[in-house]
Amino acid sequence: MTYLRYAPDIETPAPDEQKSIDGIIQGMTQQSQVVEKRERHAVRASHAKSSACVTGELVVPEGLPPELAQGLFAKPGMHKVAVRFAQGPGETLGDRVSTHRGMSIKVFGVPGEKLPGHDVETQDFVLATGTTFPSGTAAGFLRDGTVIGKATGLPEGVKSAVAATARNLNRVLHAFGTESAMADFLGHPYSHPLADSYFSQAPMRFGDYVAKLGAVPASKAQLDLAEWRLDSHDDEDGFRHAAAAFFRDNEVVYELKAQLWADAERQPIEDASVDWPVAVSPYRTVATLRLPRQDAYSPERVHYFDEVMTFRPAHSLAEHRPLGSVMRARLQVYRALSDFRHRENGVTAENTASPESIPA
């Protein structure tokens, strides 16, 4: 198969894109202010409620083909990692409001040219459930974010009802062999967080090439969780309790996979709402993520992950530069909202450089 090469001119920003990005920052900051007033604490503007905060290692194998042996994955070896699993909303809600989920990975010991402003030897991958970002572009992000922002002040019961409606919609669509990415974003199944797959959703540079990334469960114990479902009426923090209990008894393993860019028409760079067909380019394993048995929710570690540590697409090698409209927005939005959160809480943000900084 022939894969398309990265070049700076593959990105084509809309003329008014910065206006959209400024609007996203303004809107999400206002949303965060509403949540801060209610919770009396500033939390992440998305993926606020963590379910597991863990450490482990990323193993890059020998013998990757040239098109996969790129950037971080160019040389075989092992890197220490920190991984945060979290629920989607930018507020602390009960788990009956089951929306999309996030998995943020910080890889340590990564030399090479970094993006401007990133000054430590790390690489962050910020992933979420769903292979696409439903809003598609910065303009769509602003449009949909405005609607979500207006809903921030609504009672939790209303948000639960919206999530339930979205889940039921996808249940009907599945019967016809299809699904809605937006419905999954608003109403993800009550599945186990460690049985889900997570994706970059939008593309990034992959050395000489371009790719989307995915993290897919790879241990038998995780695969056995496929039919697990939370009873949200029994435990409003059930995802957290389930993840912590699983980590006490099991190693968690993911295969990190890259889907290379091969067709400019069917795999657009600028519209993250378009699913790249696996028939055009399949996801192929580039590394194994191993997270050993551990206390996944110790108070000291959770405080560090949730309050101090930052995960951003901008914490990146130049060879893994985020690409496309949504990613360009994220480069600015994550920084602005992190600055707001840390400033409001009186906490100094840390671009963690070493796994030794992480509490046990």
Side-chain angles (χ1 to χ4, degrees), residues 224-279:
D224 287 344
L225 295 172
E227 301 304 317
W228 184 97
R229 291 296 182 269
L230 173 71
D231 182 349
S232 62
H233 298 289
D234 183 58
D235 187 354
E236 286 283 270
D237 297 317
F239 295 128
R240 175 183 297 167
H241 295 150
F246 192 85
F247 268 110
R248 279 197 296 271
D249 299 324
N250 301 273
E251 178 186 42
V252 170
V253 182
Y254 286 88
E255 289 185 349
L256 191 65
K257 295 174 177 284
Q259 184 188 31
L260 293 174
W261 188 44
D263 185 324
E265 294 299 319
R266 300 174 69 185
Q267 297 175 291
I269 297 297
E270 293 295 341
D271 187 352
S273 70
V274 178
D275 201 6
W276 286 10
V278 293

Side-chain angles (χ1 to χ4, degrees), residues 111-132:
E113 181 188 355
K114 307 297 191 299
L115 295 187
H118 183 43
D119 56 1
V120 300
E121 303 281 86
T122 61
Q123 169 71 48
D124 288 4
F125 296 118
V126 181
L127 313 178
T129 47
T131 55
T132 63

Side-chain angles (χ1 to χ4, degrees), residues 87-150:
Q87 300 304 104
E91 52 187 321
T92 308
L93 300 173
D95 286 353
R96 59 183 175 146
V97 188
S98 178
T99 71
H100 65 292
R101 299 174 185 164
M103 176 188 188
S104 297
I105 306 169
K106 187 177 294 292
V107 187
F108 296 100
V110 182
E113 181 188 355
K114 307 297 191 299
L115 295 187
H118 183 43
D119 56 1
V120 300
E121 303 281 86
T122 61
Q123 169 71 48
D124 288 4
F125 296 118
V126 181
L127 313 178
T129 47
T131 55
T132 63
F133 186 74
S135 301
T137 63
F141 192 166
L142 174 60
R143 178 197 64 231
D144 295 340
T146 299
V147 174
I148 293 171
K150 289 179 178 178

